[in-house]
Amino acid sequence: MMSLLIVYHSRTGGSRLMAEAAFAAARAEGAVRLLRAEDAQPEDLLAATGYLFCAPENLATLSGAMKEFFDRCYYPVLGKIEGRPYAQMICAGSDGAGAARQLARIATGWRLKEVQPALIVCTNAQTPEAILAEKSLSETELAPCGDLGAALSAGLALGVF
């Protein structure tokens, strides 16, 4: 059975909100699981047929917990998930490009197939107080996250990817 795995890390809530929006929409289209990066295991990656990775940008790169997920799971699934579709969402305080590039390089190593360019939601948090504050995202900011989750899940269910 085709299934989508959404793996996320969130320190201040933005990425969690994005992942939850994608999950809610994806559930209407097919089988989907939502896991925190800390909880996701190689077996979860092997059981899924497509992936949506969601992480915050921290210091122009992926958050440490998301990177740790990739570090922990990289070799156990290397050569076993090639060609599977993926997309990514980044919650950024500035441009998110560094985090998106880093995640794309990891996915390239796994030989995953990117099905959409990175979706980046920019919070414009630039002060220490704004960066560390709990994030709230508008429906307008979350709508593309839901659209991406639904599209990935439907595409998997229909065998598009």
Side-chain angles (χ1 to χ4, degrees), residues 8-159:
Y8 77 96
H9 172 252
S10 189
R11 188 177 313 280
T12 60
S15 297
R16 178 185 48 78
L17 292 170
M18 293 170 66
E20 288 173 348
F23 177 69
R27 288 175 45 191
E29 302 297 332
V32 61
R33 292 184 65 206
L34 176 67
L35 292 175
R36 295 178 328 134
E38 299 90 329
D39 299 327
Q41 299 299 318
E43 298 77 28
D44 299 309
L45 288 160
L46 293 169
T49 53
Y51 313 102
L52 179 53
F53 302 113
C54 183
E57 169 196 57
N58 285 0
L59 303 172
T61 64
L62 284 174
S63 64
M66 193 68 172
K67 177 67 170 59
E68 194 278 331
F69 154 73
F70 285 118
D71 287 345
R72 181 170 30 83
C73 295
Y74 190 83
Y75 290 108
V77 303
L78 186 62
K80 299 175 184 173
I81 60 172
E82 292 177 359
R84 295 182 189 182
Y86 89 96
Q88 62 169 305
M89 301 186 300
I90 303 294
C91 187
S94 56
D95 67 7
R101 265 192 314 275
Q102 186 179 22
L103 197 152
R105 289 185 70 184
I106 294 165
T108 297
W110 271 339
R111 290 171 180 65
L112 298 177
K113 179 174 68 174
E114 182 183 66
V115 296
Q116 175 182 306
L119 172 59
I120 299 172
V121 173
C122 185
T123 65
N124 296 306
Q126 294 298 304
T127 66
E129 295 79 21
I131 291 166
L132 296 172
E134 187 71 15
K135 304 297 181 282
S136 61
L137 300 176
S138 70
E139 288 301 317
T140 302
E141 291 169 312
L142 292 173
C145 303
D147 293 343
L148 179 53
L152 275 171
S153 187
L156 287 168
L158 295 170

